[in-house]
Amino acid sequence: MKAFEIVSEPINPQRYADYVLRPEAGAVTLFTGHVREWTKGIRTLYLAYEAYIPMAEKKLAQIGQEIEEKWEGTRVAIAHRIGELAISDIAVVIAVSSPHRKSAYEANEYAIERIKEIVPIWKKEIWEDGEEWIGHQKKKPKEELL
């Protein structure tokens, strides 16, 4: 297991919690982001994620480094899943350990916001009556990156 990875198989959150747990950690926060069925009154059938994997993993590692510099004594692990995800599947897991709980909570929230800002992952929502690329990077640019 890598501390910062893009995966295509279902995510096991406990692996990431175990990875960050250390004797000096008084807290571990574990965030899992799931595929939800309803968004703003529209029923989602499933999501499709794509990523520019080498850059995405580098950016996840960058977020981990930012956290470790900002909150002393933290350890971070992040995984994001790509491919087609069904309702309730885990799309992302963020595990943070720290000596105290406040730092772990703050660092975990920081991580998910930074993922949305800088990591090249694209999400397509598939509904009963259509589909759309969602987020800051709305169009799947896989072909455009090459």
Side-chain angles (χ1 to χ4, degrees):
M1 177 195 123
K2 296 187 289 187
F4 306 100
E5 60 185 350
I6 302 296
V7 299
S8 58
E9 298 299 319
I11 294 172
N12 176 354
Q14 191 61 50
R15 290 179 57 216
Y16 300 90
D18 291 345
Y19 178 85
V20 301
L21 184 60
R22 302 162 293 137
E24 58 273 18
V28 173
T29 57
L30 184 66
F31 170 80
T32 56
H34 296 254
V35 178
R36 65 178 167 260
E37 184 174 12
W38 293 93
T39 303
K40 299 178 184 174
I42 299 172
R43 183 171 182 233
T44 301
L45 300 178
Y46 65 94
L47 298 181
Y49 285 96
E50 295 204 11
Y52 178 45
I53 295 172
M55 181 60 73
E57 290 184 338
K58 285 180 186 176
K59 291 296 185 178
L60 292 175
Q62 175 186 325
I63 293 166
Q65 183 176 4
E66 290 172 7
I67 288 170
E68 290 172 2
E69 290 171 2
K70 188 172 173 96
W71 289 278
E72 188 176 338
T74 56
R75 186 170 186 190
V76 183
I78 305 171
H80 201 296
R81 187 171 167 198
I82 57 173
E84 292 185 1
L85 280 70
I87 303 303
S88 298
D89 281 355
I90 297 172
V92 61
V93 62
I94 303 165
V96 179
S97 68
S98 68
H100 304 282
R101 70 179 176 268
K102 185 175 182 181
S103 295
Y105 278 115
E106 291 173 349
N108 207 300
E109 184 175 13
Y110 177 87
I112 192 64
E113 296 306 325
R114 288 294 280 158
I115 288 168
K116 292 177 182 186
E117 290 174 1
I118 68 168
V119 181
I121 297 172
W122 299 277
K123 175 175 77 170
K124 183 191 273 189
E125 290 189 6
I126 294 81
W127 312 302
E128 293 174 312
D129 63 348
E131 59 187 41
E132 182 180 353
W133 291 100
I134 304 295
H136 291 84
Q137 302 165 338
K138 291 191 180 240
K139 184 177 178 199
K140 179 189 96 177
K142 192 177 227 179
E143 294 80 20
E144 296 170 19
L145 287 173
L146 303 175

